[in-house]
Amino acid sequence: MIVLGIESSCDETAAAVVQDGSRLLSNVVNSQIDIHSQYGGVVPEVAARSHLEVINPVINKALSDADLTWDDIDAIAVTYAPGLSGSLLIGTLAAKTLAHLKHKPLYPIHHVEAHVYANFITSQQSALSLKLPSTQPKFPMLALIVSGGHSQLVLFRDHGDYSLLGQTQDDAIGEAFDKVAKMLGLPYPGGPSIAKAAELGDPLAYQFPKAKMSGAYDFSFSGLKTAVLRRLQREVGVDFTFPSHELPGLVSEQQRYDFAASFQHVAIETLVDKAKKAYQEYLPTSVVIAGGVAANQELRRQLSAALPIDIEYAPIQLCTDNAAMIATLGYFVAQRSEPVSPYELEIRPSLSMVHEKSVV
Ligand code: KG4
Ligand code: ZN
């Protein structure tokens, strides 16, 4: 089964074609980073307008890169939740229109669940040359989902059958990377900037506390972010009333590197501590990481060192937002459920992946 995936939930317009939920035939991502970096973050109206301009060419390129025509496409999968309303609307509108015009079954996909499915892509057409895992993860599978909007640990018993073990009670990990990067005057998006600056810094230069949570697998990153801010103010000799947007001007290069490295060290260690605890309790057969922060090399290094199993990581291009993961999950959803009518599909900007903490 050949699925066309469409993704537009935030600031990437993406389309991809995947065969049988495992073989990547094309992967087109149009990033808006250059547009939003001048504002220091995503501007929703600007994002929606940009999606509208490029969505059709991006979809056409996904088909032509895969060397396919519409006749070859068996289904369309599209992100309908969660994300920015204006952004989600463009992708779903394109998908609904195409499903109707081309008579293709349409499957609505949850973006956060789809991030996990980047790990199921294990082969590709030769022109793509990504470094892919050799086999698909096996169940039970523990997924550490870490993105700009989410930080959660989820236990999958099977496709579509999963429980939330814990999640952040305040900021998402990616959000913390982005905010700390801003304090340090590092460019948007903060995650890759912090990771790069951290390579030149001392991870033990500053000690930051880890939050103590009542839920064994819950996270909190807001306290860490404030601890970094207070320590930074102290280091440069100003008090808490000093405007934070003026802080980067007072920070030396070495301080910037050391703060980035020390923050990253503690933030990643917090994730790995919880993942290790969950591994020891549930003894999953596979462990995967998913979402933009899964691109972080320090996370991969620490996690592999902490767990007694081999982890095969997805390539970075498939960790940050893309449509390959949407098409891959689309295949598995199509195996277990009926398509939706293009007339009935509606976006769900704040739908969470699992609504309540479920007991496993
Ligand atoms: O999954 P994603 O592309 O979009 C959402 O669904 O949120 O994740 C974006 C987040 C941003 O916060 C970005 O700073 C972070 O992923 N990120 C990283 C790295 N690359 C992207 N964080 C840490 N290290 C990285 N190498
Ligand atoms: Zn994402």
Side-chain angles (χ1 to χ4, degrees):
M1 180 185 207
I2 295 185
V3 181
L4 169 73
I6 299 175
E7 154 67 36
S8 72
S9 64
C10 189
D11 58 347
E12 257 94 32
T13 321
V17 181
V18 175
Q19 185 171 11
D20 297 336
S22 66
R23 184 171 174 77
L24 186 62
L25 301 181
S26 67
N27 184 34
V28 181
V29 180
N30 183 82
S31 172
Q32 303 177 5
I33 284 179
D34 292 349
I35 305 174
H36 298 293
S37 58
Q38 56 185 308
Y39 306 107
V42 178
V43 183
E45 293 77 8
V46 178
R49 204 170 317 133
S50 170
H51 285 307
L52 185 59
E53 280 164 16
V54 302
I55 189 95
N56 286 336
V58 164
I59 292 170
N60 289 336
K61 183 162 172 23
L63 282 174
S64 64
D65 283 2
D67 222 354
L68 297 176
T69 68
W70 278 104
D71 286 345
D72 304 308
I73 300 296
D74 298 307
I76 299 175
V78 64
T79 306
Y80 79 116
L84 302 169
S85 312
S87 292
L88 285 168
L89 271 175
I90 307 299
T92 51
L93 188 60
K96 292 198 289 190
T97 310
L98 289 166
H100 175 69
L101 284 177
K102 310 285 184 190
H103 308 290
K104 305 291 176 188
L106 177 64
Y107 295 93
I109 297 299
H110 193 282
H111 176 92
V112 181
E113 185 181 356
H115 266 300
V116 174
Y117 279 77
N119 293 285
F120 283 78
I121 298 172
T122 53
S123 70
Q124 62 196 321
Q125 68 129 313
S126 48
L128 288 166
S129 63
L130 294 173
K131 194 176 176 314
L132 298 171
S134 58
T135 54
Q136 291 193 326
K138 297 192 177 50
F139 299 104
M141 167 180 81
L142 177 68
L144 173 64
I145 306 175
V146 280
S147 72
H150 295 82
S151 310
Q152 51 194 39
L153 270 165
V154 179
L155 187 69
F156 281 71
R157 283 173 225 89
D158 202 344
H159 296 292
D161 177 12
Y162 49 77
S163 304
L164 180 70
L165 302 181
Q167 62 185 336
T168 184
Q169 301 300 302
D170 40 59
D171 292 354
I173 176 82
E175 210 176 332
F177 268 85
D178 294 337
K179 286 177 181 167
V180 169
K182 231 176 196 176
M183 289 174 206
L184 296 174
L186 292 165
Y188 169 86
S193 304
I194 294 250
K196 191 153 170 263
E199 283 171 18
L200 302 166
D202 174 4
L204 303 177
Y206 305 104
Q207 258 81 53
F208 299 121
K210 288 185 198 164
K212 296 213 171 32
M213 307 300 297
S214 53
Y217 303 114
D218 284 339
F219 303 102
S220 162
F221 294 105
S222 157
L224 172 59
K225 180 193 66 191
T226 309
V228 173
L229 177 63
R230 295 287 172 259
R231 186 67 201 262
L232 190 60
Q233 289 164 335
R234 221 168 77 210
E235 283 301 304
V236 300
V238 297
D239 72 5
F240 67 93
T241 58
F242 188 79
S244 54
H245 66 268
E246 288 179 25
L247 272 173
L250 303 178
V251 182
S252 74
E253 277 304 282
Q254 196 55 47
Q255 280 173 327
R256 190 167 284 132
Y257 300 149
D258 287 344
F259 267 95
S262 302
F263 159 76
Q264 174 176 266
H265 179 73
V266 173
I268 297 297
E269 205 170 59
T270 307
L271 296 175
V272 172
D273 286 352
K274 303 269 163 143
K276 185 176 176 184
K277 200 161 181 238
Y279 177 83
Q280 287 165 339
E281 182 170 352
Y282 297 101
L283 292 176
T285 308
S286 311
V287 175
V288 298
I289 56 174
V293 183
N296 188 279
Q297 296 300 329
E298 176 67 10
L299 171 58
R300 294 170 178 222
R301 199 189 56 71
Q302 282 197 30
L303 193 65
S304 290
L307 301 185
I309 53 168
D310 266 349
I311 307 176
E312 287 200 282
Y313 297 103
I316 288 175
Q317 296 91 324
L318 300 182
C319 291
T320 47
D321 286 350
N322 65 83
M325 64 188 198
I326 307 299
T328 304
L329 176 54
Y331 167 78
F332 291 103
V333 168
Q335 306 307 301
R336 63 175 187 254
S337 46
E338 292 300 314
V340 291
S341 153
Y343 294 103
E344 278 160 27
L345 175 60
E346 284 184 16
I347 60 165
R348 300 286 301 275
S350 28
L351 183 71
S352 56
M353 182 175 155
V354 219
H355 307 282
E356 277 160 34
K357 198 169 265 190
S358 35
V359 179
V360 270

